[in-house]
């Protein structure tokens, strides 16, 4: 026999009237049956709901003298509640609509937050998987904290740390590969390729449509692809055992398809199209097979631990391994590595301060902020209910007085008004689900993801939702219930009764609270808008609007002479067009990240004097195409335009400063050493420009000459007749690089996509804020309308004595405008503090000023004036003869 939870039994004993103790046995029998059929979770929710149905009876009967007429009386109160709702249709609609919108917004936010919190939880061992996070200390100063490690670290960890069950290393291939199926000879250029250890599919539970988890990545020339890629390349055919040919540098060759994965879950921080074996990368990629395992830190390392293992103990052992295997090299540069383990479930929301190349993450601060907005919205909705219910006390006074005169007790009156509160909230709940379902596609468009209302399948959600609605209904209904039931019958039955004056301070306090929250929300919206606009409008040091970027060819011979010859031919064809000003081949472009980051120091200095510098390979036309401003030196010389490696580089201002090269003029012809082994002569210094998002500070950068390496072809064009220009470039590309897919993008669009997450956050914040303010305005409109109806005779007298319409409107509106000013003053400290905290995430940011209070206050003033103007205008324009007849 399954017994209901003790807390639910206590609630039933507490609120079930003595006269209806037979209900307890019925409820327990139902619980036992439901527990067997549905499980204890859903059965407990249903038992809790059954308990709530007897709550109104508790208010209708005395504990010592139970009444036999509780059920009929409850039915009577429900009828009265419906009659009151139908008699005052406008106020009822406002109340229900306000609550419905509030609940609907909360449901949307709950679904969004639930989705964000669900990331990576579909893996069966998600609570045992951790990602290694490295902190780099140089000369005792923290240089950075990111997920990039050397590839040997994971290998040494598995060999020396007994707690580790399995290790998975991941390397993201950052450039396009040419991929085609020899059976149909159709080329594709894809760039979402990951190199992973063969344990990847055993540790992570990505659904496998076909193939073996154990052997899919066991051989160097195996390849695993997702369902979408399999359909794109092979159509309806089974790809297992088929051959794929890859071109694009050293990975080029034939591969056997050994696995096909189902469409990757959206709530995974890992999003890829192809998987290639890690053993291929480490054995054939020249940069890795010829180094000691320490030269390149661009691997993500995941470990699988037993449930009993301590992550802190394991991370401490990684510290010891770093000292043991890499200590001598680290000591030479006065560096130290320390590690910690980040739980898999926290990666999506707690990686904001980490350098994470996957970029598929959200900030937990945003999730918390949306949670606060949801609370604000519901508080506003319930505040409206309290305000309207208490302000309408005059209309309910005679009803309450008559009931008290014929013997109704206070508890019974409170029960009646609570029934009305539950009824209004119940109707709002039904409407809220409709609003949420209809609004979900809009939410999906804002966040760029496909969400479904999965929360309705969770018993935990229903329990929380019922508790929130019940508690909210009680709290929002108790105050009006106590106010209305506390009036004396004698005073209520008099025609001079003015119940509206009671609780005036409370009602003004509620309006002040709503204005305060509205100011905070509008200020936050305005701040997000201004910051994003600031970043997008800032002078980047490059005229990106005129640069068209074409992806470099992946199907070609990757020998220097052939690559240089092909690019020269393509370049000569393209520049013949009257709209083309210049073309440059580079390893990366602004907004796509740098090729790599490494230690750089002046020639002759010690290793520990090195600084972390971003490095890119560019050709001789780089500075001309990107129109960079030289502070000293000049573009690469003509005689170097045909060299594969000339040992020269151009640096930015920040590199001159960080490397201690003196002034831009003094930096010329000095030599710097790159950790990869290259010694470069500085032949030019350019003014700082933004290669990355303005969220990041300026970083020291080196642009070394390599005329043949062009992952991207940047073409400076005039903006007239763009379709014809693009067609011409495509024709030239197809002639020089036959069999390669022609793909392009505009540099300014790609650069601004870095702000996509900020834009999505701003759109969500704005949408939820507008809905919250709409709820507040609904209550304000109803309250002003009711306030005006109570001052009908006063308005008539003032009009007879010569008051103008403007004066009367001011009379009716000024108290609300004063409250708005007070709310604005109270919001100033919180807006300034919260705004500064949020702006700390941006290296380049707007300054907090009075505009972030003045503009929101002015906007709210305009909205408030428009809200109250209809009611005040109508009252002020009324006929004084008619108004003086009212009692």
């Amino acid at each position: 026999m399954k017994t209901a939870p003790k807390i639910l039994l206590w609630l039933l004993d507490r609120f079930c009237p003595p006269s209806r103790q037979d209900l307890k046995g019925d409820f327990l029998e139902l619980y036992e049956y439901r527990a067997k059929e549905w499980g204890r979770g859903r059965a407990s929710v249903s038992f809790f709901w059954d308990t709530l149905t007897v709550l109104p009876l508790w208010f209708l009967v005395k504990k010592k003298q139970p009444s036999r007429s509780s059920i009929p009386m409850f039915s009577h109160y429900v009828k009265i509640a419906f009659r009151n709702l139908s008699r005052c249709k406008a106020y009822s609609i406002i109340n229900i609509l306000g609550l419905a919108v509030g609940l609907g917004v909360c449901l949307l936010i709950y679904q969004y937050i639930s989705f964000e919190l669900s990331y990576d939880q579909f893996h069966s061992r998600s609570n045992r998987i951790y990602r290694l996070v490295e902190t780099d200390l140089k000369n005792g100063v923290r240089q950075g904290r990111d997920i990039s490690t050397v590839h040997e670290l994971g290998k040494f960890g598995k060999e020396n740390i007994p707690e580790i069950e399995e290790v998975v290393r991941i390397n993201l291939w950052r450039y396009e590969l040419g991929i085609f199926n020899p059976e149909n000879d159709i080329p594709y250029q894809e760039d979402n390729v990951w190199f992973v250890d063969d344990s990847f599919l055993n540790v992570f539970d990505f659904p496998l449509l076909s193939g073996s988890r154990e052997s899919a990545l066991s051989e160097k020339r195996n390849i695993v692809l997702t369902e979408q890629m399999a359909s794109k390349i092979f159509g309806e055919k089974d790809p297992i055992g088929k051959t794929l040919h890859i071109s694009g540098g050293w990975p080029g060759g034939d591969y056997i398809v050994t696995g096909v994965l189902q469409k990757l879950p959206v709530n995974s921080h890992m999003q890829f199209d192809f998987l290639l074996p890690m053993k291929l990368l480490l054995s054939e990629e020249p940069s890795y097979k010829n180094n000691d395992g320490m030269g390149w830190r661009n691997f993500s390392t995941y470990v699988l631990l037993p449930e009993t293992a301590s992550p802190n103990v394991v991370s401490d052992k990684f510290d010891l391994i770093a000292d043991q295997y890499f200590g001598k090299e680290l000591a030479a540069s006065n560096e130290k590595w320390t590690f910690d383990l980040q739980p898999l479930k926290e990666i999506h929301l707690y990686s904001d301060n980490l350098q994470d190349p996957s970029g598929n993450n959200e900030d937990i601060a945003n999730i918390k902020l949306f949670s606060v907005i949801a609370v604000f919205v519901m508080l506003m909705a319930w505040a409206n209910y309290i305000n309207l219910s208490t302000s309408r006390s005059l209309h309910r006074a005679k009803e309450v007085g008559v009931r008290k005169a014929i013997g109704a007790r206070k508890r019974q009156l409170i029960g009646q008004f609570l029934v009305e509160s539950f009824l209004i909230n119940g109707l709002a709940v039904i409407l809220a689900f409709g609003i949420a379902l209809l609004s979900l596609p809009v939410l999906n468009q804002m966040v760029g993801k496909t969400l479904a209302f999965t929360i309705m399948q969770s018993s935990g959600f229903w329990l929380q939702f019922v508790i929130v609605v019940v508690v909210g209904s009680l709290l929002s209904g108790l105050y009006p219930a106590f106010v209305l039931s506390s009036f004396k019958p004698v005073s209520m039955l008099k025609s001079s009764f003015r119940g509206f004056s009671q609780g005036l301070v409370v009602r003004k306090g509620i309006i002040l609270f709503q204005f305060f929250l509205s100011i905070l929300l509008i200020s936050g919206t305005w701040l997000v808008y201004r910051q994003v606009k600031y970043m997008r409008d800032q002078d980047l040091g490059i005229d990106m609007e005129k640069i068209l970027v074409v992806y470099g060819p992946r199907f070609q011979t990757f020998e220097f002479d052939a690559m240089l010859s092909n690019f020269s031919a393509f370049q000569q064809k393209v520049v013949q067009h009257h709209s083309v000003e210049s073309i440059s081949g580079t390893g990366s472009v602004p907004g796509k990240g740098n090729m790599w980051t490494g230690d750089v120091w002046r020639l002759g200095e010690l290793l520990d004097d090195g600084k972390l510098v971003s490095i890119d390979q560019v050709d001789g036309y780089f500075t001309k195409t990107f129109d960079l401003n030289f502070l000293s030196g000049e573009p690469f010389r003509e005689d170097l335009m045909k060299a594969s490696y000339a040992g020269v580089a151009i640096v930015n201002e920040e590199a001159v400063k960080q490397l201690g090269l003196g002034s831009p003029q003094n930096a010329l012809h000095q030599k710097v050493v790159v950790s990869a082994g290259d010694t470069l002569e500085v032949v030019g210094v350019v003014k700082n420009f933004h290669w990355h998002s303005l969220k990041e500070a300026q970083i020291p950068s080196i642009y070394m000459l390599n005329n043949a390496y062009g992952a991207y072809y940047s073409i400076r064009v005039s903006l007239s007749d763009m379709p014809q220009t693009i067609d011409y470039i495509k024709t030239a590309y197809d002639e020089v690089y036959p069999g390669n897919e022609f793909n392009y993008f505009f540099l300014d669009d790609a650069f601004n996509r870095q702000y996509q997450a900020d834009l999505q956050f701003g759109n969500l914040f704005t949408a939820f804020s507008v809905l919250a303010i709409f709820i507040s305005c609904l209550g304000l409109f109803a309250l002003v309308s009711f306030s005006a109806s109570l001052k009908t005779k006063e308005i008539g007298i003032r009009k007879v004595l010569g008051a103008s319409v403007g004066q009367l409107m001011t009379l009716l509106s000024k108290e609300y405008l004063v409250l708005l000013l007070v709310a604005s003053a109270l919001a100033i400290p919180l807006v300034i503090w919260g705004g500064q905290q949020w702006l700390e995430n941006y290296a380049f940011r707007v300054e907090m000023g009075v505009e972030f209070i003045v503009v929101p206050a002015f906007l709210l003033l305009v909205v408030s004036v428009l809200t109250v103007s209809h009611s005040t205008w109508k009252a002020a324009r009324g006929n004084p003869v008619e108004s003086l007849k009212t009692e």
Side-chain angles (χ1 to χ4, degrees), residues 590-643:
K592 291 286 188 179
N594 296 97
M595 290 185 66
W596 79 89
T597 301
D599 284 330
V600 177
W601 57 92
R602 287 189 299 170
L603 184 65
E605 288 188 339
L606 299 176
L607 292 179
D608 59 4
D609 291 325
K611 301 294 181 181
L612 209 58
V613 177
S614 293
I615 304 159
D616 281 281
Q617 293 181 341
V618 301
D619 72 355
Y621 299 95
F622 168 69
T623 54
K624 177 183 178 181
T625 302
F626 285 89
D627 194 23
L628 301 183
N629 296 316
F630 276 86
L631 298 177
S632 66
E634 57 187 11
F636 298 115
R637 301 193 315 267
E638 288 288 337
D639 61 317
L640 299 177
M641 294 300 190
K642 301 298 182 182

Side-chain angles (χ1 to χ4, degrees), residues 149-156 158 166-172 194-204 212-219 222 224 270 275-282 299-303:
T149 65
V150 296
H151 63 79
E152 291 291 278
L153 190 67
K155 171 188 172 184
F156 293 143
K158 187 176 181 181
E166 194 56 84
V167 169
V168 177
R169 295 168 299 179
I170 299 173
N171 183 280
L172 277 60
W194 288 17
F195 288 91
V196 298
D197 280 315
D198 52 11
S199 57
F200 180 87
L201 295 176
N202 293 321
V203 173
F204 298 103
S212 168
R213 290 185 179 276
E214 288 71 24
S215 61
L217 294 165
S218 60
E219 301 297 330
N222 290 355
V224 175
M270 297 180 176
L275 296 178
L276 291 176
M278 178 66 68
K279 60 185 67 174
L280 172 71
L281 179 74
L282 299 182
F299 291 79
S300 300
T301 304
Y302 294 77
V303 296

Side-chain angles (χ1 to χ4, degrees), residues 29 99 122 207 219 383 467-468 524 526 576 676 719 765 829 842 849 882:
E29 288 182 12
L99 287 170
F122 60 89
E219 301 297 330
I467 290 174
V468 168
W526 181 246
Q576 291 176 7
L719 299 180
F765 197 102
Y842 298 87
E882 295 297 326

